[in-house]
Amino acid sequence: ATVTVPSGGAASIDFAGIPSGYKHLQVRVLARGARTPVTYDNFIIRFNSDTGNSYSYHAIYGDARAGGPFTDNSTSASFISAGNIPGAASLANSFGVAVIEILDYADISKNKTMRSLNGYDSNTTGYNNTFSTIALNSGAWYNTAAITSITFIPSNSPFQEFSSFALYGVK
């Protein structure tokens, strides 16, 4: 299944009714945010509409600033940090990419984990001189329920037109 954001943007992207016939899930993302006045934005992921503090995540990323790499983490969050994307101050029509894998999503005997390799190049300098990022994010959802829905939410602004999310099942 593929969702492409129409003109006007989207506050979230939802995949619902995910069948249990696969071993893992993979989501391929091409996205852009509208956060101003900066060159970067990020997005989060939630499973089965759970907004409780039942997630943890860790991110390690490098960008153009001196002193990296940088990290971000939480052991009790209401989401998993899933990736970095360009913001409004990035070059027009530049998009970030992510490959997100959700492991053993239908196995009801274990908590769920995900990993994301993501990044973007805004082809400009901007706030904090951040103009490109590559990141590795990982996270856990402390619930043994099978994942039947996935929601992606931009952290600071709507996903912009032409952003695309494609969900694949992996045997």
Side-chain angles (χ1 to χ4, degrees):
T2 300
V3 175
T4 300
V5 174
S7 66
S12 67
I13 300 296
D14 298 298
F15 292 101
I18 299 171
S20 62
Y22 300 98
K23 177 74 174 156
H24 308 298
L25 297 175
Q26 185 179 84
V27 184
R28 298 176 190 173
V29 177
L30 175 75
R32 178 182 174 89
R35 183 178 181 196
T36 60
V38 297
T39 58
Y40 65 93
D41 205 343
N42 47 42
F43 64 98
I44 64 171
I45 188 171
R46 288 187 175 128
F47 301 120
N48 295 4
S49 302
D50 182 358
T51 59
N53 289 339
S54 53
Y55 303 87
S56 65
Y57 67 86
H58 184 265
I60 184 167
Y61 59 96
D63 62 29
R65 294 178 287 174
F70 302 96
T71 61
D72 182 23
N73 66 76
S74 176
T75 57
S76 179
S78 62
F79 59 85
I80 297 173
S81 176
N84 300 309
I85 55 177
S90 294
L91 184 67
N93 300 317
S94 65
F95 287 78
V97 296
V99 176
I100 300 168
E101 295 176 331
I102 302 162
L103 308 175
D104 298 317
Y105 76 101
D107 187 336
I108 59 171
S109 67
K110 61 171 86 171
N111 294 324
K112 308 307 179 274
T113 59
M114 68 123 276
R115 61 184 174 214
S116 172
L117 178 60
N118 62 88
Y120 72 93
D121 184 354
S122 68
N123 206 18
T124 186
T125 59
Y127 178 80
N128 253 353
N129 293 320
T130 302
F131 59 87
S132 60
T133 298
I134 187 162
L136 179 61
N137 297 49
S138 62
W141 180 41
Y142 297 105
N143 194 314
T144 59
I147 294 173
T148 58
S149 71
I150 303 170
T151 303
F152 295 96
I153 303 166
S155 297
N156 300 290
S157 64
F159 289 119
Q160 294 301 288
E161 181 178 16
F162 306 119
S163 294
S164 176
F165 295 75
L167 174 65
Y168 296 91
V170 179
K171 289 281 183 179

